[in-house]
Amino acid sequence: MSSDPIRIVRGPGGEVAVEGVLEAFAVGILTRAGFVSWPALGGSWVRLPFDMGRVWENERAGWAADMLTAARYQVDLDPSLRPAAARRTKTAMTAQPPPSNASRRNRR
């Protein structure tokens, strides 16, 4: 594995591309996340398909970053690609009380 991080960025034209040294295994993970790969002179060119919508692109980029991180790659994800759910502050979940017996009788 390379010590350089894999960077998932949104380019100036709005395209989502992957930069950095990519091994075949990393390309396979990115392909699983929806990225497409083409051979290039310096290795391979990896990006998401065009015009799929920002929400879809953000979800796929975040998923790819999670999978690459789980495979022990260093990943830099462009802040503009973080899914909306990841940007929200986490809130504590509270348990709701069970419905009362009176409301159960009304359903029958």
Side-chain angles (χ1 to χ4, degrees), residues 21-86:
V21 178
L22 298 173
E23 300 169 352
F25 185 67
V27 172
I29 291 172
L30 290 163
T31 301
R32 175 80 174 146
F35 285 76
V36 289
S37 165
W38 285 279
L41 292 176
S44 59
W45 181 44
V46 182
R47 67 167 175 81
L48 282 174
F50 291 119
D51 299 326
M52 298 302 287
R54 289 180 89 77
V55 172
W56 186 87
E57 292 170 348
N58 291 356
E59 288 173 353
R60 294 300 170 153
W63 186 30
D66 290 344
M67 287 193 291
L68 288 167
T69 301
R72 301 195 178 222
Y73 287 97
Q74 291 180 346
V75 181
D76 287 340
L77 181 63
D78 190 329
S80 69
L81 292 170
R82 298 201 189 284

Side-chain angles (χ1 to χ4, degrees), residues 7-30:
R7 292 175 304 283
I8 303 175
V9 298
R10 185 177 301 280
E15 75 282 355
V16 177
V18 180
E19 300 172 348
V21 178
L22 298 173
E23 300 169 352
F25 185 67
V27 172
I29 291 172
L30 290 163

